[in-house]
């Protein structure tokens, strides 16, 4: 890797391209973390995919320090808050009131948080031995869950067709990552040590060794925001006692993609907006006002099918978990009002 001017395609629009100045590039290009993660590896996805919106991944917790000169401006641009303030977490109870989300258009509500185990490389860098450790430690902890969180673990490589279909229908399945994750190195050794833990009622799930070591997910078909949030916070309280997650006082929970730093939380609904196409501009503007994102029906970078969109929070750093859900609730109320 030599000349920064020829690194990125002319059409590339990523935050990493925007902020990687020749001076920062020269300063960082020979640096390595203790696990030997390099700048070249960190930005490979952004280089290979000119349509990346961020374009940089962390290979381990230390990446955020070693390459802080590029991560900091990218983090500030994405989350809209500086990367050097103390990040606060607040998973205390929520009482939502005032507005009604029971418009009949909400198909499902989902909250997930991203977590990585401290001291092991993150998915862009991890090797098979460490991936096995992640799977073992996590599954051992998850199998101790009781009550409504009790469930079973399903390695991806051993899923029967019937179960795969069921998980897909219930939005519980994850597949091999897209070209962004491929270029970042996240798909290596697929599907080894990948799997899904699911509670009996299928409202709680954990994805193991996807984009992060853990994606902890709480879901509800319908708009029960408080119940979904409560289930997630109970699971997190339990897992925090059993596992040690990578965390930083300023950056919060450390994740492969800097967009997930902070709470690691993406909370959102699949909602049917029958007039989505005709009201697109107004809906996007309203979402923006509440720092929400409107995505396609099947997640990031997918199409809108049948008027069903995914509305969720964009910011995860500099906002607590509780504030995230409260803001989502207010934003959704505003969006629903428009479509009524
Ligand atoms: P993440 O932010 O968790 O990486 P993705 O956009 O990659 O989310 O989507 C992951 C999966 O979760 C997809 O299969 C998507 O359909 C599903 N999903 C996302 N939001 C919801 C929701 N509100 N209800 C049901 N499924 C959802
Ligand atoms: Mg994803």
């Amino acid at each position: 890797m030599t000349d920064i001017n020829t690194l990125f395609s002319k059409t590339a629009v990523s935050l990493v391209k925007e902020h990687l100045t020749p001076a920062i590039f020269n300063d960082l290009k020979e640096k390595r973390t203790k696990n030997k993660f390099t700048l070249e590896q960190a930005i490979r996805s952004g280089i290979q995919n000119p349509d990346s919106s961020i374009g940089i991944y962390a290979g381990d917790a230390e990446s955020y320090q070693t390459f802080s000169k590029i991560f900091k401006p990218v983090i500030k641009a994405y989350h809209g808050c500086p990367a050097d303030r103390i990040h606060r977490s607040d998973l205390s109870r929520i009482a939502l009131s005032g507005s009604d989300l029971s418009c009949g258009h909400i198909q499902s509500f989902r909250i997930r948080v991203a977590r990585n185990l401290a001291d092991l490389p993150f998915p862009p860098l991890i090797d098979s031995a460490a991936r096995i450790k992640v799977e073992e430690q996590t599954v051992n902890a998850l199998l101790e869950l009781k009550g409504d969180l009790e469930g079973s673990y399903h390695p991806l490589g051993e899923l029967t067709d019937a179960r795969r279909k069921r998980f897909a229908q219930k939005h519980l399945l994850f597949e091999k990552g897209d070209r962004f994750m491929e270029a970042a190195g996240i798909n290596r050794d697929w599907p080894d040590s990948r799997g899904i833990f699911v509670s009996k009622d299928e409202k709680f799930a954990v994805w193991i060794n996807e984009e992060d070591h853990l994606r902890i997910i709480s879901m509800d078909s319908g708009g029960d925001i408080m119940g979904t949030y409560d289930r997630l916070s109970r699971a997190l309280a339990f897992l925090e006692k059993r596992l040690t997650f990578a965390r930083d006082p300023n950056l919060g929970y450390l994740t492969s993609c800097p967009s997930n730093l902070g709470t690691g939380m993406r909370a959102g609904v699949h909602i049917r907006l029958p007039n989505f196409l005709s009201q697109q501009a107004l809906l996007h503007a309203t979402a923006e006002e509440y720092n929400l994102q409107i995505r396609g029906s099947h997640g990031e970078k997918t199409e809108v099918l049948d008027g069903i969109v995914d509305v969720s929070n964009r910011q995860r750093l500099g906002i607590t978990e509780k504030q995230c859900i409260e803001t989502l609730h207010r934003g959704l109320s505003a969006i629903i009002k428009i479509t009524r």
Side-chain angles (χ1 to χ4, degrees), residues 62-182:
E62 198 191 325
S63 301
Y64 284 106
Q65 267 118 46
T66 307
F67 306 111
S68 69
K69 285 195 176 154
I70 178 61
F71 274 114
K72 275 190 179 176
V74 167
I75 290 166
K76 185 167 183 224
Y78 178 85
H79 294 277
C81 77
D84 46 15
R85 286 212 199 122
I86 295 293
H87 174 79
R88 273 194 334 112
S89 178
D90 180 5
L91 273 155
S92 59
R93 269 176 187 273
I94 299 182
L96 300 171
S97 61
S99 45
D100 178 17
L101 297 187
S102 58
C103 62
H105 293 320
I106 292 184
Q107 317 240 312
S108 55
F109 182 62
R110 175 181 186 263
I111 317 177
R112 61 86 165 152
V113 296
R115 293 287 186 269
N116 288 283
L117 301 184
D119 307 325
L120 288 174
F122 296 174
L125 180 64
I126 197 167
D127 64 11
S128 7
R131 220 185 270 113
I132 290 171
K133 276 192 201 165
V134 170
E135 185 186 32
E136 277 173 3
Q137 289 180 24
T138 310
V139 172
N140 283 342
L142 289 168
L143 291 176
E144 287 175 34
L145 284 164
K146 294 279 176 285
D148 63 330
L149 298 173
E150 186 177 334
S152 49
Y153 178 62
H154 307 274
L156 272 199
E158 295 170 22
L159 283 186
T160 59
D161 286 348
R163 199 181 301 273
R164 177 175 289 273
K165 208 168 145 200
R166 168 91 189 159
F167 282 178
Q169 251 170 16
K170 290 274 177 178
H171 296 273
L172 293 167
L173 184 68
F174 69 97
E175 313 257 15
K176 193 170 183 176
D178 55 20
R179 62 192 157 86
F180 301 91
M181 292 207 241
E182 177 70 33

Side-chain angles (χ1 to χ4, degrees), residues 218-285:
S218 178
M219 291 185 46
D220 181 65
S221 50
D224 181 10
I225 297 191
M226 283 194 280
T228 310
Y229 174 82
D230 174 67
R231 185 182 311 113
L232 182 76
S233 43
R234 283 186 287 115
L236 287 176
F238 176 87
L239 290 174
E240 289 275 0
K241 281 191 239 146
R242 294 290 191 288
L243 303 167
T244 307
F245 296 130
R247 199 174 189 284
D248 176 272
N250 301 324
L251 299 179
Y253 291 100
L254 299 177
T255 50
S256 297
C257 177
S259 65
N260 286 315
L261 291 167
T263 58
M265 178 179 273
R266 194 168 80 83
V269 291
H270 275 180
I271 185 168
R272 196 190 162 94
L273 302 175
N275 303 323
F276 177 72
L277 288 178
S278 58
Q279 293 178 309
Q280 228 179 124
L282 178 60
L283 288 168
H284 277 291

